[in-house]
Each structure stands twice: as structure tokens, then as C-alpha cells.
Amino acid sequence: MRRFNVSDPGFAADFRAFLNEERGSAAEVDVAVAAIVQAVKTEGLPAVLRFAEQFDRASLTEETLRVTADEIEAGAAACPQSVRDAIDFAADRIRTYHARQRPADAQWTDDTGTRLGWRWTPLEAVGIYVPGGRAAYPSTVLMNAVPAKVAGVDRIAMVTPPGRMQPAVLAAAKAAGVTEIWRLGGAHAVAALAYGAGPIAPVDKIVGPGNAFVTAAKRRLYGVVGIDALAGPSEIVVVADGANNPDWIAADLLSQAEHDPAAQSILITDDAAFADAVCAAIQAQLKTLATGEDAAASWRNHGAVVICPLEDSPPLVDLIAPEHVEFAVEHPERLSDRVRHAGAIFLGRHAPEAIGDYVAGSNHVLPTSRAARFSSGLSIYDFLKRTSLIQCDAEAFAKLAGATVALAEAEGLPAHARSASIRL
């Protein structure tokens, strides 16, 4: 864990250097993924099954690749009732939140008589990657599948690494209406969704988080399919004053640190004694966490405490552009309204990031690695396309043609110019 004070000489350079430290994957990952993707593109299903054996020790066939409807039902039924209730509760809230995002079609006639507008249509087929290595993530199923369903996507194909299908994941798939599930993980699963492989038909877009190999495959396949984002290690910034319970803030910081040794947790506070109390609470809580080894590595190597007047915290948050930021202060909007770059903002002492991960209703698939400077979290818009509409009658066309010809000729495109002038 690093400690910074904005009043120290050289703070700006030191803090920027800390933020720029490498937390991603090694370059050799992309080399390996390139070979995997090419093999799946060329060979199809045989390559997919070979990689499943090689990387997951799973002996799959074309017949056993798909999770059956009976398996989904049985797995969902095996999920504890309390968890199923929580899944249904979360799914309803996610569905309601994303339904409010639905954009409207529009059409109008302007003063030339030209009819203009746009319409929104859902994607036909979407692939969802659900990790299965470090833990089972039913919330990932909900956050990706429910908005796609709300958007009206016709087909949702889910891939998750082979092995025992976790009941909570299958319960979430059932709650979200996902019926097509394939026992595949890693870069070859992403390539199978992009190109198709045997019984797996290709999709139009792939969403969902994964490890370095999954991310590298999504990067390489962008253009063959759409992707949601290139997910990096998890991040959280907590802006907190000394009136907070240090145990609460420590738990919030560790909520992201436990995801991955490369995750980043940063505390910004104006109270040095409070910072010390939070750090002590983190060390105490690490001793009781089942995920303590990963969380400890994250906090040790990528964690930070910044002593800073809280009024100066918004520019720091913008510099970090974090996936999540909490403002655990009395009047959070006074600071949060000045923040431009953040994936999600949590307001007040009783809005921990974990609420957003599960049941708030907003999406937890958020930009990482400073991508909040130019992108947003997953939403219904990721599953919709906007198409422009243009209609001219003869009178409207006559009012637009002259300028069209002039611009086409200026650009040296005579066929464009003729397309307009020939109708005059």
C-alpha cells in the first residue's frame, strides 16, 4: 500500500506514476490468443474441443457441449431458496432500471419537406461470457442477460467454463430467460461465439468479463463481432471523512481487492488518523477473509491512501477515472457533482459499492483502466442499434440537390454528384 499527501513536493508526479503502473496482462498472452483464435476460425469445433481438453481438462463432444434444459432446471432447483429469492429480487430491479433506459424512435419533417428520423432495433444474437474460475458469478448472468432481454435480443448464447455448473449460475440463467448455455471458457469460447463452431451459431456481439485471455480474444475479434468493453482489474476509490466507521470503509476497499491481486483500492481522506484506523481495520479483516490472499496482494501492491482536503478530491477522482467511486460524506452531491470520469458513483455512508454489484438495479459491468474517461457501463444501448431514416419527395429533393452536387464535386466524387444532378 502506498501513502500520498497532496501537500508533499512531487505528489502529482508520484501519484501519476503509481496510477500508470502495469496491472494488466503480459504481452505473450496476445500471442497465445492469436493462435487459438486462428485455429477456431480455421478448424471450428475440433479446435474448440481440443482446447477444452488442453486448458480445462474437459473431454467434451458435440453432444455434451450444451447444457440441457433438464440440467438448467435441476441446477436451478438445487440452488438454496434464499439465493433464488435474492436472484429474483435482483433480476426484477435490474429489469426495471434498464427498462427506463429505452430510447424513443423519432420522425419529423423539416422546413425543406424532407422527412427525417431514426429508429432503434435490437441485435439479433448476443454471446455472454460468464467466468467460472475464481468463483461462480450469478450476478454476471443477470447484469448481461437481463438488459439484453429488455432490449429485445432474439438469441442469447451463454458460455461458461466446463465443470460442475454452479446452481446459482443456472438459477440466474433461468431467471434471466437464458436457455442456450455452452460448457466453454477462455479464448476459444470467445472465438466460437464469434465464428461459430459446430452446433454453436455465431453471434453479433459478445459481452461479459473474463480473464486476460478472454479480454485479449475480445480485442482481437472486435470487428468480426461487437464487444462491450475490454475489462481490466477491478477498481474502487472511496472518498471518506473521519466521521465514518473505519471498519465499514475497510470492507468497502476490500470488496474490490478480493476480486484479483491486480485490483486497485484507493482511499482519499482529509483525516490522517482515520486513514490509519482504516489501514488497521483492513489488516484485521484480511485475517478472516476466505479471499484474503488475493485481497492482501491487491492492497499491498496496488492499494493507496491519499491525504487530501475533500474539496480537492473531485479532480483526483477524475484523474483516476475509476470503475467505482464512493463518496462517504455528509453531503456527497457537493463533491460528486464535480466528477466527470467514473463508471458508477455511490452517494453517502450507506451506499457501498457491493449494493451496485448486486441489487441496486444499475449495471455492474463498468469501464476500468481509466476507460471511464470515454465510455460508460453496460446498458440497454449495448443491445440496440440506431438506424437513420431519410425520405424526400421531388420538391424536397430539389431543395437539397444543389448543395449535394457542389459538395460531391468539391470532394472529387463525380458519381455522387451525378446521382443528385441526374434527378433534377
Side-chain angles (χ1 to χ4, degrees):
M1 182 271 292
R2 319 291 176 81
R3 194 174 181 114
F4 300 93
N5 193 313
V6 293
S7 64
D8 290 343
F11 163 77
D14 291 345
F15 190 63
R16 283 181 179 274
F18 165 74
L19 294 178
N20 290 331
E21 289 176 357
E22 182 63 49
R23 293 189 296 127
S25 60
E28 55 265 25
V29 168
D30 194 57
V31 175
V33 166
I36 292 168
V37 167
Q38 184 59 40
V40 174
K41 178 182 180 182
T42 304
E43 302 174 44
L45 183 61
V48 169
L49 299 179
R50 185 172 69 250
F51 290 132
E53 178 76 44
Q54 177 181 346
F55 298 123
D56 298 313
R57 303 292 187 268
S59 297
L60 299 173
T61 67
E62 182 170 350
E63 291 71 29
T64 61
L65 194 59
R66 182 165 181 168
V67 180
T68 66
D70 287 345
E71 287 177 297
I72 296 173
E73 285 292 334
C79 184
Q81 187 62 52
S82 60
V83 178
R84 276 186 283 163
D85 290 343
I87 286 170
D88 290 340
F89 178 74
D92 285 343
R93 293 183 62 82
I94 295 165
R95 194 174 292 113
T96 299
Y97 183 97
H98 289 80
R100 285 179 173 268
Q101 295 176 339
R102 183 173 297 282
D105 295 349
Q107 291 188 31
W108 68 95
T109 301
D110 69 12
D111 56 4
T112 69
T114 303
R115 185 176 169 222
L116 298 167
W118 58 76
R119 62 182 173 88
W120 295 86
T121 53
L123 305 186
E124 285 188 30
V126 168
I128 295 177
Y129 191 95
V130 178
R134 291 179 177 272
Y137 293 112
S139 61
T140 297
V141 180
L142 298 179
M143 293 292 179
N144 287 275
V146 171
K149 280 287 187 181
V150 171
V153 173
D154 295 328
R155 171 180 164 240
I156 299 175
M158 175 176 139
V159 293
T160 192
R164 178 175 178 267
M165 295 286 113
Q166 293 294 329
V169 169
L170 294 176
K174 182 179 179 182
V178 177
T179 58
E180 182 182 336
I181 305 176
W182 304 94
R183 307 176 206 273
L184 283 178
H188 52 290
V190 178
L193 287 173
Y195 292 119
I200 306 174
V203 300
D204 302 312
K205 188 169 189 175
I206 300 172
V207 300
N211 62 17
F213 290 87
V214 170
T215 300
K218 287 169 72 175
R219 179 187 292 111
R220 180 164 291 275
L221 288 163
Y222 176 67
V224 178
V225 289
I227 62 171
D228 52 347
L230 298 173
S234 297
E235 304 158 349
I236 188 170
V237 173
V238 180
V239 179
D241 57 28
N244 285 280
N245 184 325
D247 287 328
W248 292 11
I249 302 304
D252 293 354
L253 292 165
L254 290 175
S255 72
Q256 295 309 292
E258 72 175 347
H259 272 302
D260 191 312
Q264 185 174 74
S265 302
I266 298 174
L267 170 64
I268 299 176
T269 183
D270 59 349
D271 189 325
F274 174 72
D276 292 339
V278 171
C279 290
I282 285 175
Q283 295 306 317
Q285 292 182 28
L286 282 171
K287 296 175 183 178
T288 64
L289 281 179
T291 52
E293 185 176 348
D294 286 346
S298 166
W299 180 244
R300 180 175 62 252
N301 297 325
H302 305 295
V305 171
V306 181
I307 306 301
C308 167
L310 294 189
E311 284 298 321
D312 296 340
S313 63
L316 271 183
V317 172
D318 276 344
L319 177 64
I320 301 165
E323 181 184 16
H324 315 96
V325 58
E326 294 180 14
F327 283 95
V329 295
E330 188 65 30
H331 301 290
E333 292 88 351
R334 187 168 54 83
L335 299 175
S336 67
D337 286 353
R338 293 164 53 201
V339 169
R340 178 174 295 189
H341 307 313
I345 298 175
F346 298 81
L347 303 171
R349 307 188 201 281
H350 292 273
E353 184 279 335
I355 291 291
D357 269 351
Y358 297 111
V359 299
S362 58
N363 209 288
H364 79 197
V365 181
L366 299 167
T368 59
S369 305
R370 303 194 68 234
R373 294 173 297 128
F374 54 80
S375 63
S376 307
L378 195 74
S379 72
I380 192 176
Y381 305 112
D382 287 279
F383 304 103
L384 295 170
K385 300 179 285 88
R386 186 185 67 252
T387 302
S388 299
L389 303 173
I390 306 98
Q391 182 179 14
C392 298
D393 60 14
E395 183 178 349
F397 170 75
K399 295 175 182 177
L400 303 179
T404 300
V405 171
L407 288 169
E409 290 176 344
E411 291 186 350
L413 297 172
H416 279 66
R418 184 177 295 116
S419 173
S421 63
I422 201 170
R423 286 174 165 80
L424 289 172

